[in-house]
């Protein structure tokens, strides 16, 4: 059937010659054809390729390499036989040091483009001590006897015997799972046992992330609010710097794990961040009340001096809601540390928080080598706030 003209689609599978000029979020190379952006996976900026257009829309097109005509000096042989078909990794064909440069550039660009933040003080990216064999857990899927990951751009499974970005302990568990007849479903395989709550995936980078936050946090503070605290990974490393710590997470199993070895200074609350943080703001403005967060802090709940209050936020990829951004601006803690797994939503949120806070530093971390994921820590200081 003939499509109506101007609907932005073309069924023709044309082959075109392209020069890759950039690498977009998600890991695809970017080229331009007649002013239109063309996205081509598994390419590197500077490369010349012949590529088959697989999808064409008004604003952009997608293509697959048919012939690599000029290869980048950063191109390496991917060690994994599933690379290209598996939906997990995007960068195994790129030398690790260059992956770090790409991720740094992407963070700087998105802060400028979406966050309207020019000249943010970027710290060097923190690499992963292990570019492979770093994942302490993976989730595989089983369907009709196939056990593995989703294929790239598809909901079909690819059968995976061994995953080179997973730790050997995890691969042993995969081999064990594969040796049984298992029902269809999802299986999370972990290098070690522990409570089934959120935990960072790359131990080496998680430790560097925690150390960075300890380093960025001023000493002799009154109150830390660790929003999205999980089992208290950051809060527990900061006990020595605060008189009181409040961790909030809606996962009650994570909160139970955080409470297990908590000191008297620490209070962990199972609840929604938006509601609970608004109450911290109310304490700050009007003094303790007997309800909500204040009731749970007990009669010793201080009227917080926002000049000695710090907030850490570590939200999921969607970032902070508009309401939460406003609550944080109203609360105006002297220090705000934003841990992000999505630089685009970080940039959107910083654009708004910037009205009340100055961005002191931005540090990318490579929590997920070989993939297009980027972790970022932004350190903010309330404008005109004095710190120790
Ligand atoms: C990226 S994890 C961070 C966990 C912790 N900071 C750590 O490093 O282990 C995000 C956490 O936010 C929690 N979460 C997500 N949305 C929430 C909400 N609206 N209210 C409370 N907790 C939320 C999840 O349960 C999860 O533990």
């Amino acid at each position: 059937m003939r499509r109506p003209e101007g609907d932005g689609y073309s069924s023709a599978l044309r082959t075109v010659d392209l020069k890759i000029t950039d690498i977009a979020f998600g890991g695809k190379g970017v080229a331009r054809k007649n002013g239109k952006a063309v996205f081509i996976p598994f390419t590197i900026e500077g490369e010349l390729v012949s590529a088959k257009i697989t999808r064409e829309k008004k604003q952009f097109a997608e293509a697959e390499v048919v012939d690599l005509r000029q290869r980048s000096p950063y191109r390496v042989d991917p060690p994994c036989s599933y690379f290209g078909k598996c939906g997990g990794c995007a960068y195994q064909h790129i030398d690790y040091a260059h992956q770090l440069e790409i991720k740094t550039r992407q963070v700087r660009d998105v802060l400028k483009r979406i966050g309207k933040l020019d000249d943010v003080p970027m710290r060097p990216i923190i690499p992963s001590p292990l570019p492979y064999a770093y994942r302490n857990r993976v989730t595989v899927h089983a369907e009709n006897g196939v056990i593995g990951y989703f294929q790239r751009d598809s909901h079909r499974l690819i059968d995976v015997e061994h995953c080179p970005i997973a730790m050997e302990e995890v691969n042993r568990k995969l081999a064990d799972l594969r040796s049984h007849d298992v029902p269809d479903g999802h299986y999370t395989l972990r290098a070690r046992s522990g409570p089934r709550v959120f935990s960072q995936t790359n131990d080496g980078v998680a430790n560097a992330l925690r150390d960075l936050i300890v380093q960025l946090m001023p000493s002799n503070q009154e109150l830390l609010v660790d929003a999205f605290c999980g089992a208290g990974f950051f809060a527990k490393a900061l006990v020595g710097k605060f008189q009181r710590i409040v961790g909030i997470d809606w996962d009650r199993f994570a909160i139970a794990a955080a409470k297990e070895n908590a000191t008297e200074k620490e209070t962990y609350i199972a609840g929604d961040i938006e509601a609970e943080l608004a109450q911290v703001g109310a304490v700050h403005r009007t003094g303790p009340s007997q309800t909500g967060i204040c009731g749970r802090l007990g009669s010793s709940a201080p009227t917080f001096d926002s000049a000695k209050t710090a907030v850490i936020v570590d939200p999921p990829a969607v970032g902070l809601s508009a309401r939460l951004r406003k609550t944080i601006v109203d609360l105006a803690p002297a220090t705000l540390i934003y841990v992000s797994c999505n630089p685009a939503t970080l940039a959107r949120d910083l654009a708004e928080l910037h009205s009340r806070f100055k961005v002191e530093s931005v540090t990318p971390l490579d929590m997920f080598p070989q993939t297009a994921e980027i972790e970022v820590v932004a350190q903010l200081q309330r404008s005109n706030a004095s710190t120790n």
Side-chain angles (χ1 to χ4, degrees):
M1 192 184 77
R2 195 167 172 269
R3 285 182 188 278
E5 271 180 31
D7 71 345
Y9 291 87
S10 159
S11 56
L13 294 181
R14 288 180 293 135
T15 298
V16 289
D17 290 341
L18 298 168
K19 175 162 184 158
I20 311 300
T21 53
D22 200 1
I23 298 189
F25 271 128
K28 290 181 180 170
V30 188
R32 296 229 154 240
K33 191 75 186 168
N34 302 329
K36 185 188 279 191
V38 186
F39 296 98
I40 313 110
F42 313 118
T43 56
I44 307 175
E45 75 279 12
E47 290 189 325
L48 298 177
V49 300
S50 296
K52 188 175 68 181
I53 303 282
T54 52
R55 185 167 174 238
E56 187 146 19
K57 294 210 164 200
K58 248 186 198 150
Q59 307 293 337
F60 70 94
E62 292 188 82
E64 297 281 330
V65 173
V66 178
D67 183 24
L68 184 58
R69 293 169 45 229
Q70 188 176 310
R71 53 189 283 144
S72 163
Y74 302 116
R75 186 169 276 275
V76 295
D77 288 334
C80 177
S81 58
Y82 310 114
F83 182 66
K85 296 186 282 290
C86 174
C89 291
Y91 289 154
Q92 284 192 21
H93 64 297
I94 305 176
D95 166 70
Y96 186 53
H98 194 58
Q99 291 182 28
L100 298 174
E101 286 169 14
I102 291 167
K103 291 185 179 186
T104 302
R105 192 173 67 222
Q106 289 178 336
V107 172
R108 188 181 286 117
D109 289 353
V110 80
L111 289 176
K112 198 176 271 190
R113 189 163 42 80
I114 300 179
K116 308 288 176 233
L117 294 165
D118 291 323
D119 304 325
V120 279
M122 294 269 296
R123 292 178 167 226
I125 187 167
I126 295 177
S128 174
L130 298 171
Y132 284 93
Y134 63 84
R135 283 199 73 113
N136 58 30
R137 69 179 142 91
V138 301
T139 297
V140 292
H141 316 281
E143 196 177 303
N144 299 328
V146 176
I147 298 179
Y149 298 129
F150 290 114
Q151 291 180 21
R152 178 166 66 96
D153 298 333
S154 159
H155 289 295
R156 291 176 57 188
L157 291 183
I158 177 169
D159 196 58
V160 171
E161 281 183 14
H162 182 269
C163 172
I165 62 170
M167 290 169 70
E168 270 321 303
E169 293 87 326
V170 174
N171 273 306
R172 275 199 287 279
K173 295 203 169 151
L174 176 60
D176 184 50
L177 183 75
R178 293 176 59 86
S179 69
H180 295 88
D181 266 344
V182 292
D184 289 358
H186 312 297
Y187 295 87
T188 297
L189 311 173
R190 297 168 199 270
R192 50 182 180 268
S193 54
R196 296 287 179 260
V197 300
F198 177 88
S199 62
Q200 304 284 348
T201 313
N202 178 334
D203 296 336
V205 180
N207 291 339
L209 169 62
R210 190 193 49 207
D211 293 349
L212 173 70
I213 289 174
V214 172
Q215 183 200 333
L216 297 178
M217 193 63 85
S219 301
N220 300 323
Q221 299 293 293
E222 278 180 7
L223 174 70
L224 169 67
V225 180
D226 184 358
F228 309 92
C229 68
F233 182 63
F234 303 134
K236 288 178 185 295
L238 290 164
V239 166
K241 293 198 171 194
F242 289 88
Q243 289 170 23
R244 296 297 299 258
I245 290 183
V246 179
I248 308 166
D249 199 294
W250 63 18
D251 179 345
R252 61 195 170 86
F253 296 105
I255 291 299
K259 280 180 174 170
E260 245 170 44
N261 56 355
T263 61
E264 280 193 340
K265 288 181 180 181
E266 299 162 71
T267 304
Y268 293 98
I269 296 169
D272 180 65
I273 305 288
E274 281 191 12
E276 298 291 346
L277 203 58
Q279 291 188 33
V280 175
V283 177
H284 161 56
R285 283 188 299 276
T286 60
S289 78
Q290 293 315 304
T291 59
I293 197 170
C294 333
R296 273 171 285 193
L297 284 174
S299 55
S300 63
T303 43
F304 306 119
D305 175 359
S306 61
K308 293 216 165 208
T309 296
V311 172
I312 298 176
V313 289
D314 182 10
V318 290
L320 304 177
S321 66
R323 184 175 163 210
L324 198 45
R325 294 196 293 268
K326 183 174 180 321
T327 303
I328 292 171
V329 167
D330 290 348
L331 188 61
T335 305
L336 172 63
I337 295 195
Y338 190 142
V339 182
S340 164
C341 58
N342 182 346
T345 52
L346 171 70
R348 176 203 65 198
D349 295 347
L350 290 186
E352 191 168 323
L353 295 170
H354 197 232
S355 65
R356 195 70 179 90
F357 298 91
K358 179 170 182 286
V359 181
E360 294 286 336
S361 72
V362 169
T363 312
L365 298 97
D366 196 20
M367 187 73 82
F368 301 99
Q370 319 308 328
T371 79
E373 306 293 320
I374 315 177
E375 194 85 6
V376 187
V377 171
Q379 172 201 15
L380 292 91
Q381 215 62 50
R382 188 177 70 195
S383 306
N384 305 322
S386 64
T387 54
N388 302 26

